[in-house]
Amino acid sequence: MLLLDFNKIGNKIFAIRKAKGLTQAEAAELAGLSDRTYADIERGNVNMRIETILKICKGFHITPNEFLTEKAIPAISEKDIAERLNKCTAKEKETALKLLDAYLSTLE
């Protein structure tokens, strides 16, 4: 479920920052934001634009799902991915690789 409560979003971003061992200033720098803007985001005082969300994601190397959704998406191991790909045809593997490349390019 998509979160629309900026306080909850800010709390999730705070938790991610803490888990990464970053200060607010370091997190702001990674995201290319001012210290004040970043602090306001964590406090839930900012209605973020999509560009800001993407900057935070890029800086933290995460996807928007990690702080914009209520339930965490379960982690998938490399073994799970390999097992699923091994069941695919060559064409399906090619398509999966193209989709992965397209997705990863959005994170850069």
Side-chain angles (χ1 to χ4, degrees), residues 3-92:
L3 282 177
L4 299 175
D5 180 333
F6 291 109
N7 286 317
K8 287 183 181 179
I9 293 169
N11 288 337
K12 284 191 156 203
I13 293 171
F14 168 80
I16 292 167
R17 174 178 65 81
K18 284 297 192 177
K20 292 182 175 287
L22 299 169
T23 65
Q24 277 190 340
E26 291 167 334
E29 185 175 338
L30 286 173
L33 301 170
S34 72
D35 292 355
R36 167 116 187 205
T37 297
Y38 183 83
D40 285 343
I41 289 168
E42 279 194 5
R43 283 193 295 273
N45 295 338
V46 175
N47 183 354
M48 290 185 285
R49 297 185 336 227
I50 190 69
E51 293 86 1
T52 304
I53 292 169
L54 294 175
K55 284 180 178 183
I56 292 169
C57 290
K58 185 176 180 181
F60 283 8
H61 302 287
I62 60 173
T63 65
N65 287 338
E66 295 186 50
F67 63 89
L68 293 178
T69 57
E70 292 243 33
K71 294 183 179 178
I73 297 173
I76 299 174
S77 71
E78 289 179 31
K79 181 181 175 188
D80 292 336
I81 294 169
E83 287 174 358
R84 290 181 189 183
L85 286 174
N86 284 333
K87 295 176 185 176
C88 294
T89 66
K91 184 66 175 168
E92 290 168 337

